[in-house]
Amino acid sequence: MTNPTSGEENIETNFQKKMTYGEYLNLDTILSSQNRLSGHHDEMLFIIIHQVSELWMKLILHELHAAKHAIETGDLSVSFKKLARVSEIQNQIIQAWDVLSTLTPAEYLEFREALGSSSGFQSYQYRLIEFALGYKTDFILKIYEKDPELLKQLEAGYYSGSIYDASIHALSRAGFHISEEVLNRDVTRAYEFDKTVEGAWIEVYQNSNEYWDLYELGEKLVDIEDCFQQWRFRHMKTVERVIGFKSGTGGSSGVGYLQKVLEQQFFPELWNLRTKL
């Protein structure tokens, strides 16, 4: 049998005083964090899917914050790479539902009680992503009153303008008329449709060669909302497949709640203009 390392004499093998791959990634911590409360075989799948999704969400937030800063400072082209990366990350999270869908209702019932009142409904990173995209609700703040550090993070996101607010200000800086009510709006409220914003985006799309950066920004935002809605839909169908129309472990109506959130929009004008053009 051929030795696959033959001719690779420079490969490092002595790590007595050097950092290993596992140490760099803190794998001992990450790989020891799957604690099955029921001991059931399939609880491992359930835990890992959600942990991996939370890691991807952490990266989404990292990229969204950087993209927002780039938009605010006028570096739209810099934001495009980061927003494109967000969409690719979203595709990874969407596909994760296919893996979780291999869990059958009978298998889930074997360990569901071990979850207690914990639920993905309480994911603070998911809410931070919603905040970053412009959908604000304060109920999640109440959930984390028990954890001052997490509450501080959530409040920072809640009281900050969204990436769409930054984009609307970019339209204004480019000379488009945007109503003062929108430019000075209360950013703790969920964003609502505005005709002046729609008019600005329509002009951008009708004159894409002249406003190419803004046009590209609009499309990158649409990509993100499109993927977000696909994620929500796959979430809803996976929950329906596994528990039907039972209530969620956190007290939500389960599928009923997930169906309602499909109606939420982050960037309404960017969707409406497709009918208007």
Side-chain angles (χ1 to χ4, degrees), residues 221-223 225-226 229 265-276:
L221 293 175
V222 168
D223 288 343
E225 180 159 353
D226 190 351
Q229 291 294 63
Q265 281 190 316
F266 298 116
F267 321 129
E269 297 86 0
L270 286 168
W271 292 97
N272 283 14
L273 69 81
R274 282 149 167 79
T275 302
K276 297 289 182 69

Side-chain angles (χ1 to χ4, degrees), residues 90-274:
Q90 289 175 299
N91 287 329
Q92 296 297 314
I93 299 179
I94 291 167
Q95 291 174 14
W97 293 120
D98 294 337
V99 184
L100 190 58
S101 291
T102 64
L103 182 69
T104 68
E107 290 164 346
Y108 182 51
L109 286 174
E110 291 290 331
F111 62 84
R112 190 183 190 219
E113 285 190 7
L115 274 62
S117 296
S118 65
S119 165
F121 185 83
Q122 299 145 15
S123 169
Y124 67 89
Q125 290 199 122
Y126 175 84
R127 300 305 172 184
L128 284 170
I129 292 171
E130 284 192 328
F131 291 174
L133 296 177
Y135 184 74
K136 303 289 184 74
T137 50
D138 63 1
F139 71 88
I140 198 71
L141 302 180
K142 297 180 176 66
I143 293 173
Y144 285 97
E145 287 177 350
K146 63 180 284 187
D147 190 326
E149 282 303 310
L150 278 183
L151 182 60
K152 189 176 179 180
Q153 286 185 49
L154 284 159
E155 287 178 335
Y158 182 73
Y159 289 107
S160 296
S162 70
I163 196 165
Y164 198 45
D165 288 313
S167 301
I168 291 170
H169 279 269
L171 288 171
S172 179
R173 288 196 303 272
F176 292 99
H177 169 64
I178 305 294
S179 71
E180 289 298 318
E181 288 81 5
V182 173
L183 294 175
N184 299 304
R185 77 183 194 88
D186 179 358
V187 297
T188 65
R189 299 175 65 87
Y191 180 81
E192 296 181 0
F193 172 86
D194 178 81
K195 278 193 170 298
T196 63
V197 174
E198 181 188 56
W201 281 123
I202 287 175
E203 189 171 343
V204 167
Y205 274 69
Q206 287 176 332
N207 301 279
S208 58
N209 289 335
E210 183 179 355
Y211 302 110
W212 182 260
D213 279 357
L214 289 168
Y215 173 73
E216 184 72 8
L217 175 60
E219 285 299 284
K220 287 288 186 287
L221 293 175
V222 168
D223 288 343
I224 287 172
E225 180 159 353
D226 190 351
C227 288
F228 202 94
Q229 291 294 63
Q230 290 182 51
W231 184 90
R232 282 172 163 171
F233 179 79
R234 289 297 296 124
H235 184 189
M236 182 266 291
K237 294 307 292 184
T238 302
V239 170
E240 183 179 357
R241 176 171 176 157
V242 177
I243 68 168
F245 286 82
K246 294 185 182 73
S247 296
T249 49
S252 75
S253 58
V255 170
Y257 169 77
L258 296 172
Q259 286 174 332
K260 282 188 290 187
V261 299
L262 283 170
E263 300 172 3
Q264 296 170 359
Q265 281 190 316
F266 298 116
F267 321 129
E269 297 86 0
L270 286 168
W271 292 97
N272 283 14
L273 69 81
R274 282 149 167 79

